[in-house]
């Protein structure tokens, strides 16, 4: 039986050492950055692909909003969440997204949630296409967290 090995791509450092991602088993144990990363991955994957503009938006958002978080932790969080998302079925993805909303409500204050909505609008528009699934997730953000994603 073949063993699937997926390696980490460090989006901020070309030719960086590759490490294996981990699967996040319990969404209740995700920290703040993992919770934000899972939401971003869900949005990035909603149109079936992750493009460089989306990854750049992710990196810039974290650097601007939480400069004290180490870049390697940021890269690892996005990598682990992406790997986990791709290894989940649709039901598991919904469960993780629901828990992600609970986590974000716990970890982020009102101004951070508003800033997150602004960053999500930038992310959604970054690849030049606004997918129906992205709009649906934006609606869930409004319903679950009380924040509005506005598009200019």
């Amino acid at each position: 039986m073949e063993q699937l090995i997926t390696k980490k791509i460090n989006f901020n450092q070309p030719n960086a050492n590759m490490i294996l991602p981990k699967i996040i088993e319990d969404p209740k144990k995700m920290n703040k950055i993992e919770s934000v990363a899972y939401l971003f991955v869900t949005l990035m994957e909603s149109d079936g692909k992750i493009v460089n503009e989306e990854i750049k938006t992710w990196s810039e958002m974290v650097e601007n909003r939480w400069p004290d978080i180490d870049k390697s932790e940021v890269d690892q969080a996005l990598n682990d969440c992406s790997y986990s998302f791709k290894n989940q079925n649709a039901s598991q993805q919904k469960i993780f997204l629901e828990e992600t909303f609970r986590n974000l409500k716990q970890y982020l204050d009102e101004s951070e949630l508003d800033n997150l909505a602004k960053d999500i609008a930038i992310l959604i528009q970054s690849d030049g296409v606004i997918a129906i699934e992205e709009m649906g997730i934006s609606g869930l953000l409004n319903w679950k967290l009380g924040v509005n994603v506005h598009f200019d």
Side-chain angles (χ1 to χ4, degrees):
M1 180 161 75
E2 284 186 19
Q3 183 180 11
L4 175 65
I5 298 177
T6 304
K7 295 188 176 187
K8 176 185 178 186
I9 299 171
N10 186 325
F11 302 109
N12 293 321
Q13 299 175 2
N15 301 319
N17 292 334
M18 305 297 262
I19 61 171
L20 293 175
K22 67 177 174 119
I23 290 188
I24 299 169
E25 301 285 342
D26 184 355
K28 293 177 182 177
K29 294 182 180 177
M30 290 191 299
N31 62 30
K32 175 170 72 173
I33 197 66
E34 289 170 332
S35 297
V36 175
Y38 193 85
L39 175 60
F40 269 61
V41 165
T42 302
L43 286 160
M44 290 179 199
E45 289 284 357
S46 67
D47 61 1
K49 62 189 179 316
I50 296 178
V51 297
N52 288 335
E53 292 84 4
E54 292 171 325
I55 294 166
K56 181 180 175 190
T57 300
W58 158 257
S59 296
E60 290 172 355
M61 183 274 304
V62 175
E63 189 175 309
N64 290 334
R65 303 291 182 208
W66 301 291
D68 56 318
I69 298 176
D70 185 76
K71 280 191 178 287
S72 64
E73 182 181 349
V74 170
D75 290 342
Q76 188 67 44
L78 186 65
N79 191 51
D80 291 347
C81 289
S82 179
Y83 186 70
S84 297
F85 183 90
K86 289 177 182 182
N87 283 283
Q88 296 168 338
N89 62 37
S91 176
Q92 291 168 315
Q93 290 169 351
K94 287 178 186 177
I95 290 167
F96 262 67
L97 188 58
E98 280 289 329
E99 197 58 45
T100 296
F101 289 137
R102 285 187 198 95
N103 292 346
L104 293 173
K105 199 168 197 168
Q106 175 187 340
Y107 291 137
L108 304 179
D109 63 30
E110 189 174 330
S111 68
E112 287 178 307
L113 287 170
D114 287 339
N115 286 332
L116 181 65
K118 292 173 188 172
D119 295 326
I120 286 170
I122 293 167
L123 173 74
I124 289 173
Q125 297 174 86
S126 68
D127 65 357
V129 177
I130 299 176
I132 292 172
E133 292 84 358
E134 291 170 324
M135 295 303 297
I137 295 168
S138 297
L140 284 173
L141 279 166
N142 183 301
W143 180 39
K144 299 287 186 174
L145 300 177
V147 296
N148 292 312
V149 178
H150 298 282
F151 301 99
D152 296 331

